[in-house]
Amino acid sequence: MKITALAFAAALISLHSFSQGMYGFEGGLGRATAGKSYTTPVFTGYVLGKLTRSFYVGAAVSYQQYSFRYSYNNSAASLTDGDIISIRNKSSYVIFSPKLDFGIGYRKYFHLHTTFGLGLLAEGYQVSNTYGTYAAAPPVSTGHDTMAVYSTHNLPTLLSRYTIGATWRIPTLRYWNIVVSGEYAYIPTNLSTHGPALRTNFYCFTVGISHKYPMTFVEY
């Protein structure tokens, strides 16, 4: 969380360079698409500079947590020692992304956006349930069972993420807006660097506020 706070502070410092743009903060809930997933928190902050009346470009910093249990559904007959049967993953990433935003309509209340970002591992753990042999009491010398093995070291320290999303902006006092957003993320990174591929996508819904700078005119 300290990394997230520092990243948001850096975004605030850069606001002065966007005289015709907007900034905002949002928080909400998200869910991975792999296996049995759990609802997790999402936070994001962004700064956008105005290119045209409809297009904005800028940067976003997000904190996302992925939490799911994924089973590989291996048949019992095909299992050998060391095979991974399932993985429990709970990991959090701070994601830095350039952001492209497009406003639709005359008032630009509805916006579409897309990002590509790189995430740094903030915290997390991973447990792999593996098939293995154990020593048994006589008359049977050995047996087979599943064993839980901590595999947190297999979490990638860096992941990539592509997103598309939509935002509805509700005007309030002066240049402040209430924003409601939905976003879907494609994550091509393998979330376990050892064993079978472990990948998930992610969707989230957030609510927040944004501030849009007023149009300024310079007299020559």
Side-chain angles (χ1 to χ4, degrees), residues 88-99:
R88 174 71 171 99
N89 180 291
K90 186 175 182 180
S91 52
S92 302
Y93 287 84
V94 177
I95 303 165
F96 303 87
S97 310
K99 182 173 184 176

Side-chain angles (χ1 to χ4, degrees), residues 144-216:
H144 294 86
D145 202 352
T146 58
M147 296 173 287
V149 178
Y150 282 101
S151 52
T152 304
H153 58 278
N154 290 330
L155 289 173
T157 56
L158 187 69
L159 63 73
S160 57
R161 185 195 66 160
Y162 302 83
T163 72
I164 55 173
T167 299
W168 185 259
R169 303 179 186 275
I170 305 170
T172 59
L173 296 175
R174 297 180 65 83
Y175 298 100
W176 290 97
N177 297 299
I178 297 173
V179 293
V180 180
S181 299
E183 189 173 80
Y184 183 82
Y186 167 65
I187 305 170
T189 304
N190 186 355
L191 295 182
S192 182
T193 57
H194 175 73
L198 180 68
R199 292 187 176 89
T200 186
N201 295 326
F202 188 80
Y203 61 92
C204 64
F205 299 94
T206 57
V207 177
I209 58 173
S210 70
H211 180 272
K212 185 175 181 180
Y213 290 104
M215 181 69 70
T216 58

Side-chain angles (χ1 to χ4, degrees), residues 6-72:
L6 290 173
F8 283 165
L12 280 174
I13 293 172
S14 65
L15 287 177
H16 298 288
S17 63
F18 290 85
S19 59
Q20 295 297 324
M22 68 179 77
Y23 64 91
F25 303 94
E26 300 175 31
L29 300 173
R31 201 176 183 97
T33 60
K36 181 180 180 181
S37 300
Y38 304 89
T39 302
T40 54
V42 177
F43 301 99
T44 187
Y46 55 88
V47 181
L48 296 171
K50 189 173 183 179
L51 295 181
T52 69
R53 187 171 181 273
S54 298
F55 280 98
Y56 295 80
V57 65
V61 180
S62 303
Y63 173 87
Q64 290 190 349
Q65 185 179 89
Y66 312 121
S67 181
F68 60 91
R69 183 186 301 276
Y70 184 79
S71 298
Y72 289 101

